[in-house]
Amino acid sequence: MPAKPDMFTFAAIGDLHVKEDRTSLFRDLFAEISTKAEVLVLCGDLTDVGKPREAEVLAEDLRVCSIPVIGVLGNHDYESGQAEDVEKILKAAGMHLLNGQSYEANGVAFVGVKGFIGGFGRRMLASFGETVVKSFVAESVGEAMRLENAMRAVRNERAVVVLHYAPVVDTVEGEPPFLGSSRLGETIDRFKVSAVVHGHAHHGRYQGRTSRGAPVYNVALQVEKPSSRPYALIKV
Ligand SMILES: [Fe+2]
Ligand SMILES: [Fe+2]
């Protein structure tokens, strides 16, 4: 079927895990993506252990991008307790880092949160018992609420949700079923969403769907994609 003339193509990739001694690793890839897509979306774990120097290495590579770059942080970007510095460096390089906000490109709203773990369906962890378990679940619920609030503000016909953690179990198949949370999927299903992209599940599966049918793509670098490239090309 021919693509609708107003269709929009974005590239998405997660889990770059940039290390401080691996400079220029993604420069050619970003240049290639700039010729194939209208927006580049990065789905977290941008750095390997969340060091500002790693963010600087990535920021340097991002300078070759001639299209808008949008993204969220992942758990690895928090590892060194310097996520704020990582964020500052990437924002200074022109990246639109989302944490409960949206960014509009060519009429499409990209809505981003990191998300959190918590499990799926009937195996989802419940807020019961010890305080530490309750705090853990509260974090998971909080991320879903942050996504909900951001989605409520969207007025665009097309919206793309950008996450680090998976909102459905389909795309984490082959991994422990703990790498995301159904709470994110349930929130997505309350809105009209054209596509969802996430990372984190390095050994998961590329494609899945929410209960109400929104397409979900695991775009972690390590996951095989139909594009046969390390990034996904998605039309909405
Ligand atoms: Fe990762
Ligand atoms: Fe991760």
Side-chain angles (χ1 to χ4, degrees):
M1 204 165 68
K4 283 190 231 157
D6 61 348
M7 269 212 157
F8 172 92
T9 304
F10 68 94
I13 185 169
D15 304 82
L16 300 176
H17 288 267
V18 171
K19 294 183 170 70
E20 49 193 323
D21 57 346
R22 305 292 302 275
T23 54
S24 309
L25 200 61
F26 293 106
R27 194 167 295 188
D28 292 347
L29 193 73
F30 291 156
E32 175 186 318
I33 287 171
S34 295
T35 67
K36 299 202 167 172
E38 290 162 76
V39 161
L40 168 60
V41 176
L42 298 178
C43 292
D45 286 358
L46 311 173
T47 62
D48 199 40
V49 290
K51 288 185 184 170
R53 177 61 198 143
E54 294 173 336
E56 280 166 7
V57 171
L58 175 59
E60 202 45 53
D61 284 0
L62 283 174
R63 290 185 205 284
V64 305
C65 278
S66 54
I67 54 175
V69 182
I70 302 166
V72 295
L73 295 183
N75 54 320
H76 279 247
D77 303 312
Y78 284 84
E79 169 59 16
S80 298
Q82 297 179 84
E84 270 182 35
D85 293 331
V86 166
E87 203 172 319
K88 252 185 231 162
I89 292 161
L90 296 173
K91 281 183 173 171
M95 183 173 174
H96 304 281
L97 262 176
L98 304 176
N99 184 9
Q101 306 87 16
S102 65
Y103 177 83
E104 186 183 319
N106 296 18
V108 178
F110 289 82
V111 182
V113 296
K114 175 176 62 63
F116 197 57
I117 48 184
F120 299 96
R122 284 194 294 172
R123 288 182 165 178
M124 196 159 60
L125 188 65
S127 184
F128 182 87
E130 295 89 333
T131 308
V132 67
V133 174
K134 289 177 178 164
S135 320
F136 186 98
V137 174
E139 180 72 16
S140 195
V141 172
E143 283 294 291
M145 282 168 59
R146 203 197 287 265
L147 174 61
E148 176 169 341
N149 286 337
M151 283 302 303
R152 286 166 73 96
V154 168
R155 296 285 171 267
N156 305 64
E157 191 47 39
R158 286 171 292 177
V160 173
V161 172
V162 182
L163 302 167
H164 180 57
Y165 290 98
V168 293
V169 74
D170 303 13
T171 48
V172 301
E173 210 178 86
E175 292 253 43
F178 202 58
L179 301 183
S181 166
S182 287
R183 295 181 203 276
L184 297 165
E186 287 160 11
T187 301
I188 288 163
D189 275 344
R190 285 204 285 280
F191 299 92
K192 187 179 167 214
V193 171
S194 302
V196 183
V197 285
H198 73 85
H200 190 61
H202 294 199
H203 306 289
R205 209 155 54 110
Y206 175 63
Q207 203 166 350
R209 279 190 185 279
T210 63
S211 302
R212 287 189 58 200
V216 178
Y217 304 96
N218 174 3
V219 299
L221 168 74
Q222 301 78 2
V223 169
E224 206 176 306
K225 305 174 182 70
S227 64
S228 302
R229 303 295 296 137
Y231 54 87
L233 281 175
I234 299 165
K235 287 184 193 295
V236 290

